[in-house]
Amino acid sequence: MSNNAAYITPQVKPTSTSSKTTFHFAAGLCSGLTSSILLQPADLLKTRVQQSQTAALLPTIKNILSSPHPVRSLWRGTLPSALRTGFGSALYFTMLNALRQPLAQSAALSSPGSSTKSTKSSSALPKLSNWANLGTGAAARVAAGFVMMPVTVIKVRYESDYYAYRSLYGAGRDIVRTEGFRGLFSGFGATAARDAPYAGLYVLFYEQLKRYLAGLKQAGGADQPLATSSSSINFISGGLAAGLATTITNPFDAVKTRLQLMPAKYGNMMRAVKLMIQEDGIRSLFGGLGLRITRKALSSALAWTVYEELILRAEIRWAEKAHAHA
C-alpha cells in the first residue's frame, strides 16, 4: 500500500468509530513513556529552578554535572515520571477519545452534509468545534490528573533537593506519615487550575494549527496532499500549541510546585501566590518558563505525533480487515 493511500483513507471518515478504547490506552501509554524518558532532564531542572527564586538554571546544571554520577542525577525521578506521564497520557487520551467521539457523532447526525465533506487533514481524530475542543481537553486532563496526583507529588518531592529522599517508597511513606493521605494530593487545586486551561487551550491551538498548516500545504500546490507530511504537521502543531498554552498557564505551574514541595508554608493557592510575590517578586510566577516551554513543546509534539500515527495506522488496518471480511 502506498503512503498516499495510508493517509487519505482515514481523512474521509468524520469520526474514528473503529478505534478501540484499549488501543487508545496503549497508544497513549507508548507516547507518554517515549516523551517522559527522553525529556526527564528538562523536567528535573524545571523542578529545581522552581523550588526557589535563588535557584538559577546554570548553577543548577553545573552542580548536577559536577556530581559523582551526572547522567544518573539528570535522569533522577525517571520511574515516577514514566509512571505519571505514561499512564497519565494513556488515561488522558482514552478519556479524550471517549468524550470526543459522542460529540463528533452528534455533530455528524445534526449536520449530515458536513460528514461527507472531503477535507484534507493530517489527523485521524474527530473534528469538533473550538468550544468542544476546549472543553473536552480540559475535562480529560483534570480527570487523568486527579488519578495520577499521588505519583506526581512523590515525583516532585523525589526530584527536588529540598528533601533528601533516597527512594520513591521512602518518599511516599514519609508523606503519608507526616501529612496523611491528603498529602499525596498536595497542590491538586493549582494543578487542576493549570491543567484544565492548558489542556483545553492546547487541543484548541493544536487543531487550529493543524488546519492552518494543512491549508498552507494545499495552497502550495503540492502533488501529495499531506501524505508524506502528516507527521511533520502534527509535530510542528504540537510544539507550537504547547508553547502558547504553556506561557499562558505557567504561573499555575510555579504555584503548584511550591505547594507540593512546602505545603505547610504555602497552604493554598491564594496564600502561595501572595507569599511568592512578597518574597521573590512577580518573576517567581514565571520561574522555569523557558525550561517548561522547551520540555512541553518537545513532549507534546512527540506524544501527539506518536499517538496520532499509531491510531492512524491501526484504523487503516482495521478498515482493511473490515473490507476484506465484507
Side-chain angles (χ1 to χ4, degrees), residues 33-142:
L33 288 174
T34 301
S35 62
S36 65
I37 293 173
L38 290 177
L39 301 174
Q40 174 59 20
D43 202 40
L44 180 137
L45 289 172
K46 178 188 74 71
T47 298
R48 297 284 178 90
V49 170
Q50 283 186 340
Q51 71 184 18
S52 172
Q53 189 62 24
T54 59
L57 177 59
L58 288 179
T60 301
I61 294 175
K62 290 179 180 179
N63 185 52
I64 293 174
L65 294 180
S66 63
S67 64
H69 304 285
V71 174
R72 184 187 303 175
S73 298
L74 282 172
W75 266 268
R76 178 180 173 86
T78 298
L79 178 58
S81 286
L83 290 174
R84 184 198 65 155
T85 306
F87 285 98
S89 294
L91 290 171
Y92 170 67
F93 282 121
T94 302
M95 293 177 184
L96 186 63
N97 179 65
L99 291 171
R100 290 168 65 91
Q101 290 290 354
L103 291 176
Q105 292 169 3
S106 176
L109 291 174
S110 61
S111 303
S114 64
S115 63
T116 59
K117 185 178 179 180
S118 179
T119 58
K120 301 290 191 299
S121 171
S122 66
S123 176
L125 301 181
K127 306 301 181 289
L128 302 178
S129 67
N130 291 338
W131 283 110
N133 284 327
L134 192 69
T136 54
R141 176 54 66 190
V142 171

Side-chain angles (χ1 to χ4, degrees), residues 17-322:
T17 54
S18 61
S19 297
K20 300 176 182 179
T21 300
T22 52
F23 194 84
H24 279 273
F25 186 91
L29 178 63
C30 182
S31 67
L33 288 174
T34 301
S35 62
S36 65
I37 293 173
L38 290 177
L39 301 174
Q40 174 59 20
D43 202 40
L44 180 137
L45 289 172
K46 178 188 74 71
T47 298
R48 297 284 178 90
V49 170
Q50 283 186 340
Q51 71 184 18
S52 172
Q53 189 62 24
T54 59
L57 177 59
L58 288 179
T60 301
I61 294 175
K62 290 179 180 179
N63 185 52
I64 293 174
L65 294 180
S66 63
S67 64
H69 304 285
V71 174
R72 184 187 303 175
S73 298
L74 282 172
W75 266 268
R76 178 180 173 86
T78 298
L79 178 58
S81 286
L83 290 174
R84 184 198 65 155
T85 306
F87 285 98
S89 294
L91 290 171
Y92 170 67
F93 282 121
T94 302
M95 293 177 184
L96 186 63
N97 179 65
L99 291 171
R100 290 168 65 91
Q101 290 290 354
L103 291 176
Q105 292 169 3
S106 176
L109 291 174
S110 61
S111 303
S114 64
S115 63
T116 59
K117 185 178 179 180
S118 179
T119 58
K120 301 290 191 299
S121 171
S122 66
S123 176
L125 301 181
K127 306 301 181 289
L128 302 178
S129 67
N130 291 338
W131 283 110
N133 284 327
L134 192 69
T136 54
R141 176 54 66 190
V142 171
F146 179 79
V147 174
M148 300 304 298
M149 196 64 198
V151 179
T152 302
V153 173
I154 292 173
K155 165 192 167 297
V156 171
R157 300 277 183 97
Y158 185 70
E159 285 178 352
S160 171
D161 57 5
Y162 186 79
Y163 294 87
Y165 293 131
R166 294 182 176 273
S167 67
L168 298 175
Y169 174 76
R173 183 180 60 183
D174 185 65
I175 291 170
V176 173
R177 180 179 60 81
T178 57
E179 304 170 35
F181 283 100
R182 184 177 180 180
L184 294 174
F185 291 86
S186 296
F188 176 70
T191 301
R194 177 202 65 178
D195 285 353
Y198 172 84
L201 289 170
Y202 179 87
V203 175
L204 173 62
F205 293 152
Y206 180 65
E207 291 295 325
Q208 289 292 328
L209 285 165
K210 284 194 300 182
R211 204 166 301 158
Y212 175 73
L213 293 177
L216 290 180
K217 177 71 174 179
Q218 293 175 28
D223 294 332
Q224 296 183 6
L226 301 177
T228 59
S229 62
S230 172
S231 297
S232 61
I233 286 178
N234 292 341
F235 190 88
I236 294 170
S237 299
L240 291 175
L244 291 170
T246 297
T247 302
I248 295 171
T249 59
N250 195 78
F252 295 109
D253 187 65
V255 171
K256 178 221 56 148
T257 299
R258 296 287 183 99
L259 285 171
Q260 288 176 341
L261 290 176
M262 294 165 275
K265 176 180 179 180
Y266 291 102
N268 55 58
M269 283 183 62
M270 296 303 297
R271 176 178 169 81
V273 171
K274 183 178 179 180
L275 284 177
M276 288 171 68
I277 293 175
Q278 285 180 349
E279 295 175 349
D280 302 319
I282 195 74
R283 288 180 57 189
S284 62
L285 297 177
F286 293 91
L289 177 59
L291 281 168
R292 188 166 177 249
I293 286 180
T294 301
R295 185 195 177 282
K296 279 288 187 181
L298 291 173
S299 174
S300 298
L302 281 171
W304 280 79
T305 302
V306 171
Y307 170 76
E308 289 223 50
E309 286 298 308
L310 289 174
I311 293 298
L312 189 64
R313 295 180 187 281
E315 288 190 339
I316 294 167
R317 192 178 304 113
W318 294 330
E320 289 175 343
K321 288 181 179 180

